[in-house]
Amino acid sequence: MSIQTTITATLEDAFKPQELLVINQSQQHQWGEADSHFKILVVCDRFATLSRLSRHRAIYQQLTTLLKPLGPIHALALHAYSPQERLSDQFQLANSPPCSNKIGRC
């Protein structure tokens, strides 16, 4: 099972999201590490009562085994919204920042 598939299954099970998008962006980085860089969009009711930081913490908690030091995931760009925020005229899925390559992995 690929890391992308594992992320998708884990987040679907944990949050029952109305919308979930897991994009593998690994090929956009210098070393092209397979399954190491991801952009994730999660839209679910649970996020309506959580701060942005709490939303990110909840997602990281679900993916903890994949995020261990020397684990398969090197970088995540998280976008977590309530359904109301997703429907807002202000909604825009931002581009992921470029990987800086300062530690030699990107």
Side-chain angles (χ1 to χ4, degrees):
M1 181 182 295
S2 74
I3 301 301
Q4 184 173 1
T5 302
T6 301
I7 292 170
T8 301
T10 300
L11 297 179
E12 282 178 348
D13 186 52
F15 298 108
K16 310 292 187 252
Q18 284 84 355
E19 185 175 355
L20 177 62
L21 182 61
V22 179
I23 302 169
N24 187 339
Q25 298 183 317
S26 303
Q27 72 285 355
Q28 297 173 9
H29 299 279
Q30 182 175 353
W31 305 113
E33 298 174 66
D35 291 344
S36 62
H37 292 67
F38 295 91
K39 176 188 266 186
I40 299 173
L41 168 68
V42 183
V43 178
C44 74
D45 290 324
R46 178 175 164 190
F47 292 158
T49 59
L50 298 178
S51 69
R52 182 176 175 187
L53 179 60
S54 294
R55 295 170 187 187
H56 286 213
R57 284 180 177 159
I59 294 168
Y60 280 121
Q61 183 178 12
Q62 294 302 316
L63 301 176
T64 190
T65 58
L66 300 173
L67 293 165
K68 290 180 184 178
L70 302 177
I73 296 178
H74 171 66
L76 289 177
L78 297 179
H79 305 275
Y81 300 99
S82 70
Q84 295 77 18
E85 292 168 329
R86 176 65 175 95
L87 295 174
S88 165
D89 292 338
Q90 303 298 317
F91 176 82
Q92 182 177 10
L93 187 59
N95 291 329
S96 298
C99 198
S100 69
N101 196 24
K102 290 190 177 181
I103 60 171
R105 281 197 65 192
C106 293

